[in-house]
């Protein structure tokens, strides 16, 4: 009898490494909002990103959204130049290869988590209404 490797219950977010990769996901998923969290490679335990990974599956199932990650190093100007990412974490929302908006200067507390969820729902409603 063979056994398969155990499934990761809460897998990490897929990492996108360029603006082109973000636009590609947006193009491949025309009915979805693409939410990209720009953050450190290894977020702190209990951070907004870590909590997002735990609730994102239900959120993706119940809303027209897909979550991804982009790693930002302090010395990395790629994201700063392309999207003016100044603080971490920053979440940028995309649809049809265009930015819908962003959340930055997040304090990573429970109130910010509510703001993220509400913003996603608002963007999804706008997409469905079109």
């Amino acid at each position: 009898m063979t056994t398969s490797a155990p499934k990761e219950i809460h897998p990490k977010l897929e990492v996108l490494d360029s603006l082109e990769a973000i636009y590609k996901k947006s193009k491949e998923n025309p009915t979805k909002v693409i939410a990209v969290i720009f953050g450190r490679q290894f977020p702190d335990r209990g951070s907004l990103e870590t909590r997002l990974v735990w609730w994102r599956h239900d959120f993706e199932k119940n809303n027209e959204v897909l979550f991804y990650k982009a790693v930002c190093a302090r010395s990395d100007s790629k994201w700063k130049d392309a999207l003016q990412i100044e603080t971490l974490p920053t979440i940028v929302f995309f649809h049809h290869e265009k930015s819908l908006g962003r959340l930055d200067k997040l304090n990573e507390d429970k109130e910010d988590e509510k703001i993220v969820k509400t913003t996603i729902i608002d963007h999804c409603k706008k997409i469905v209404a079109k």
Side-chain angles (χ1 to χ4, degrees), residues 5 14-15 34 51 61 63 68 103 107 113:
E14 180 182 342
V15 176
I34 304 300
R51 292 191 316 272
K61 202 179 334 175
N63 298 280
Y68 297 95
L103 293 172
N107 295 319
E113 189 172 333

Side-chain angles (χ1 to χ4, degrees), residues 16-82:
L16 303 177
D17 62 359
S18 68
L19 195 53
E20 291 76 24
I22 294 170
Y23 289 159
K24 182 177 179 193
K25 291 293 182 185
S26 178
K27 202 174 199 177
E28 292 171 350
N29 299 283
T31 64
K32 305 277 186 180
V33 171
I34 304 300
V36 182
I37 184 165
F38 293 82
R40 294 187 308 255
Q41 183 171 2
F42 303 107
D44 295 334
R45 198 161 32 153
S47 68
L48 178 64
E49 179 181 335
T50 303
R51 292 191 316 272
L52 182 146
V53 168
W54 285 96
W55 53 258
R56 69 140 176 168
H57 291 292
D58 286 335
F59 228 73
E60 287 179 337
K61 202 179 334 175
N62 297 319
N63 298 280
E64 295 295 321
V65 63
L66 294 172
F67 292 95
Y68 297 95
K69 176 179 180 163
V71 175
C72 289
R74 291 183 193 268
S75 61
D76 185 3
S77 65
K78 167 177 62 176
W79 296 118
K80 288 180 183 175
D81 294 343

